[in-house]
Amino acid sequence: MSIAIDPKAGTHFTGKIFVTPHALDEATKDFGVERGNAPVFVMDNLRKASFISMIVNEDGRPARLFGYKRMAFVVAPDADTVITVYPRHSVNQTLSAAVLKLLQRTLKSAERKEKAADKRTAITKAELNVERAGCELRKARSNSLTIISAMDARINEIDAELSRLDRELLEIKREKTNLANSLVVFI
């Protein structure tokens, strides 16, 4: 997900990072990190972060905003200095509504795809089962070993096709299930 926002995610900080005492205090307070472990905690997570945008702080000074796993990092605009760090669990209502609408559309699309695949598979399987029954009937009526052998071969082909259809439908259902499970992250 962060790759879509920032293709360079996780590569912005390769050298030394300075973490201000204020940022260490906030990491201790907001993330339950022991003060001695706070610098490493902040630096390790910042190294994995995505650049979000240039922002201004409460004083109107510019800064860079990075994010990683619901952690916001405010970094100096011209140095690798973490000014502050804080959790971010709430979202702007306009953005939330737009994202929710997109998620709902994506899920509905996956559900439509699954429903169409269900119907298409059911029809194809019914047609194949009718053909299979015809082969069984022809095989039962015949005394010719050639016809019996041909019908057995066609029945085996139909059985393989039915199995393939079941696997394809299951894969589409798994895709939708995976998508639905992934949506939980945004709820």
Side-chain angles (χ1 to χ4, degrees), residues 9 16 21 26 35 38 47 49 63 67 74 79 81 84 97 102 105 113 119-120 124 128 145 150-151 156 169-170 177:
K16 180 116 173 88
E26 293 300 306
R35 179 65 181 214
R47 282 193 171 93
V74 178
T81 302
T84 191
L102 176 65
R105 245 185 313 189
K113 180 180 176 182
K119 183 171 183 160
R120 186 175 54 248
T124 304
L128 287 170
L145 293 178
M151 291 303 104
N156 289 337
L169 182 59
L170 181 59
T177 299

Side-chain angles (χ1 to χ4, degrees), residues 73-174:
F73 302 90
V74 178
V75 180
D78 52 0
D80 292 345
T81 302
V82 180
I83 298 167
T84 191
V85 58
Y86 53 90
R88 190 62 187 187
H89 298 292
S90 61
V91 67
N92 173 289
Q93 280 306 113
T94 303
L95 179 61
S96 178
V99 169
L100 183 58
K101 194 174 196 178
L102 176 65
L103 296 175
Q104 288 170 335
R105 245 185 313 189
T106 303
L107 183 59
K108 290 288 183 199
S109 173
E111 288 171 343
R112 281 192 305 273
K113 180 180 176 182
E114 180 184 39
K115 186 176 180 181
D118 262 338
K119 183 171 183 160
R120 186 175 54 248
T121 301
I123 290 169
T124 304
K125 285 176 70 173
E127 290 169 345
L128 287 170
N129 282 325
V130 167
E131 183 182 354
R132 188 181 194 288
C135 290
E136 289 283 354
L137 180 60
R138 188 165 179 206
K139 178 180 154 185
R141 286 184 175 162
S142 180
N143 292 328
S144 167
L145 293 178
T146 306
I147 291 176
I148 292 171
S149 178
M151 291 303 104
D152 281 339
R154 183 59 188 144
I155 289 169
N156 289 337
E157 289 172 3
I158 291 170
D159 289 346
E161 181 68 9
L162 290 169
S163 293
R164 184 189 65 76
L165 288 169
D166 286 338
R167 284 191 308 274
E168 286 178 0
L169 182 59
L170 181 59
E171 186 57 35
I172 289 170
K173 289 177 180 272
R174 284 183 181 152

